[in-house]
Amino acid sequence: MAIEGFDYKGFAQNLAQQALELIPPDFNENQKNYVANTLLNFSTVAGEALYNDTQLNFNLDQAIMITQIIAEWSFHKSVDLVRSGIPQQYWDPIMQKIAFTIFEIAKNAFHNGLPQEQALQAIEHHVKKTYLDCIAELKDKNLIDEQLMEKASSQSNIDMMAQQQVQQEQVQSDQIPDAGGVQQNQMPGAVATPSALGADAKVLKLATLAMLFNRIKQEKVQTILNKFSADDADSVIKFMGMNDLDGKIDSNAALRCLQEIRANLPSMSNSLTPEKIVEKIQNVSQYVDKSHIERTIRLERNKVRRFVFTALEGEYYEMPPKVANIIATHLEDSV
């Protein structure tokens, strides 16, 4: 039964029109057309498939969400390919694999009722993995060299746009004049930049965390910030966008903050409970089928395979928690 009210053609056209305004201005006409047409084609094909699907029975909101996800990732990864330097003759096969990956993961995730945040994280993980695998395959076939592979692998338009947004929000942060007793460089809507002397303890901790977060992957930062209060997360993000943050925090004070934060973290051994590890593996099974998992671990040792399949059934096969967590993490990264 068709999805009532889902005008997938018009929706795809609208998404493509919006994308035209976001295409990097330094792209030539051929590059701009490639990005826009790729987004339009894949979102149209996906929308049509969802519209005509008679098995999964997605509703209008789900169909719109999946189509939009495909459009957005098609935009970002086609921009990455243009910037990568990889010859254009290889772009379409890579984008086709990425679009297929998004469609399958998204369908499974939404059909199985995976929370939206987890679904988006799963899709992002598989998009990035597929992109890197395709580039590595070109290198293995001697179609590109090592230098081009490294350049292509480093492209991430979605991260670049996120960083630009943060910088734009902070463009005025260094222009606020000093006013009697208030720190110069105070951020709009946030607390003053901590100095080495007399800084509020909480402010200093948030600024120190921001300094640390600037050195780790953005997706990991977002996962951590999701556990913060909205105000604290906002303050950390603003600190991250501040120019020369490292130079504004006393290194000894920052080190003491990090030591205190570390001391207050729960020990890893306490967090690695059998229940959490089993849940971690079962989460993987929510967006890939069992046969895919079987293929992934077919060359592993018998004990490892038994552990995984036992966890899929909701039971914990006796194994040291640290080893079990390594297996679970490896499974997440491999599927």
Side-chain angles (χ1 to χ4, degrees):
M1 180 177 177
I3 301 174
E4 185 177 354
F6 184 36
D7 177 15
Y8 64 87
K9 291 182 180 179
F11 185 52
Q13 289 280 0
N14 184 44
L15 292 172
Q17 190 63 38
Q18 294 178 43
L20 287 173
E21 302 176 5
L22 300 174
I23 296 176
D26 58 309
F27 280 18
N28 60 38
E29 285 304 308
N30 173 59
Q31 294 167 335
K32 290 179 180 178
N33 289 333
Y34 181 81
V35 173
N37 290 334
T38 297
L39 183 155
L40 176 61
N41 291 338
F42 285 140
S43 54
T44 301
V45 169
E48 182 178 13
L50 292 168
Y51 182 79
N52 293 320
D53 182 83
T54 58
Q55 295 181 336
L56 298 179
N57 296 320
F58 289 117
N59 60 36
L60 178 60
D61 290 340
Q62 291 171 323
I64 288 175
M65 174 66 75
I66 294 173
T67 304
Q68 185 167 346
I69 291 171
I70 289 178
E72 290 178 354
W73 277 112
S74 296
F75 173 83
H76 290 302
K77 299 320 290 183
S78 58
V79 169
D80 288 345
L81 281 173
V82 172
R83 287 177 170 149
S84 71
I86 290 176
Q88 187 167 351
Q89 67 197 76
Y90 305 124
W91 294 356
D92 280 349
I94 293 175
M95 289 304 307
Q96 288 165 5
K97 289 181 180 179
I98 290 174
F100 177 78
T101 296
I102 300 169
F103 193 57
E104 291 303 308
I105 297 297
K107 282 199 307 179
N108 287 332
F110 283 94
H111 178 64
N112 292 319
L114 200 65
Q116 182 173 315
E117 182 180 346
Q118 292 183 30
L120 294 177
Q121 289 176 347
I123 292 166
E124 180 174 4
H125 166 76
H126 285 280
V127 167
K128 292 182 176 180
K129 183 177 185 297
T130 302
Y131 176 74
L132 294 175
D133 287 347
C134 289
I135 293 171
E137 184 179 355
L138 292 177
K139 170 63 173 59
D140 291 341
K141 292 179 178 179
N142 294 318
L143 298 175
I144 60 174
D145 59 23
E146 183 80 25
Q147 184 176 1
L148 186 53
M149 181 183 74
E150 292 181 0
K151 177 185 176 183
S153 299
S154 68
Q155 301 300 319
S156 182
N157 186 65
I158 190 170
D159 291 338
M160 185 181 300
M161 289 184 67
Q163 183 62 33
Q164 288 173 348
Q165 183 176 352
V166 171
Q167 291 174 348
Q168 288 172 1
E169 291 174 354
Q170 295 304 313
V171 70
Q172 297 178 347
S173 64
D174 292 326
Q175 300 175 0
I176 300 176
D178 189 9
V182 178
Q183 287 283 341
Q184 194 174 358
N185 301 316
Q186 184 174 354
M187 296 182 295
V191 289
T193 305
S195 63
L197 298 175
D200 178 83
K202 182 176 181 180
V203 177
L204 182 55
K205 286 181 183 178
L206 294 175
T208 302
L209 284 173
M211 187 170 64
L212 177 64
F213 289 170
N214 278 331
R215 291 166 167 77
I216 64 179
K217 292 183 178 180
Q218 187 64 37
E219 57 265 28
K220 292 184 178 179
V221 172
Q222 189 57 54
T223 299
I224 298 172
L225 286 179
N226 288 339
K227 303 180 185 298
F228 284 39
S229 70
D231 289 342
D232 287 350
D234 186 55
S235 293
V236 171
I237 291 171
K238 289 179 178 179
F239 277 128
M240 289 175 68
M242 180 174 291
N243 293 330
D244 191 28
L245 177 62
D246 293 14
K248 296 172 181 176
I249 302 178
D250 179 75
S251 58
N252 291 326
L255 182 59
R256 288 195 299 271
C257 279
L258 288 174
Q259 290 172 339
E260 184 177 343
I261 292 169
R262 182 179 180 182
N264 290 326
L265 288 174
S267 65
M268 182 62 72
S269 59
N270 291 335
S271 63
L272 292 181
T273 63
E275 292 77 12
K276 289 185 178 181
I277 296 173
V278 168
E279 182 181 0
K280 193 173 183 179
I281 291 178
Q282 289 186 319
N283 283 340
V284 174
S285 69
Q286 293 185 38
Y287 52 85
V288 294
D289 57 38
K290 190 174 181 179
S291 62
H292 188 102
I293 296 176
E294 289 175 349
R295 292 194 299 271
T296 301
I297 63 173
R298 67 184 183 280
L299 299 179
E300 297 290 347
R301 297 185 302 276
N302 288 334
K303 191 172 183 179
V304 172
R305 293 201 299 272
R306 182 178 299 178
F307 167 77
V308 172
F309 291 123
T310 301
L312 289 174
E313 298 298 325
E315 301 293 333
Y316 186 80
Y317 180 74
E318 195 58 38
M319 183 175 289
K322 289 186 177 180
V323 176
N325 188 57
I326 291 173
I327 296 172
T329 303
H330 173 69
L331 184 63
E332 286 181 325
D333 293 339
S334 299
V335 299

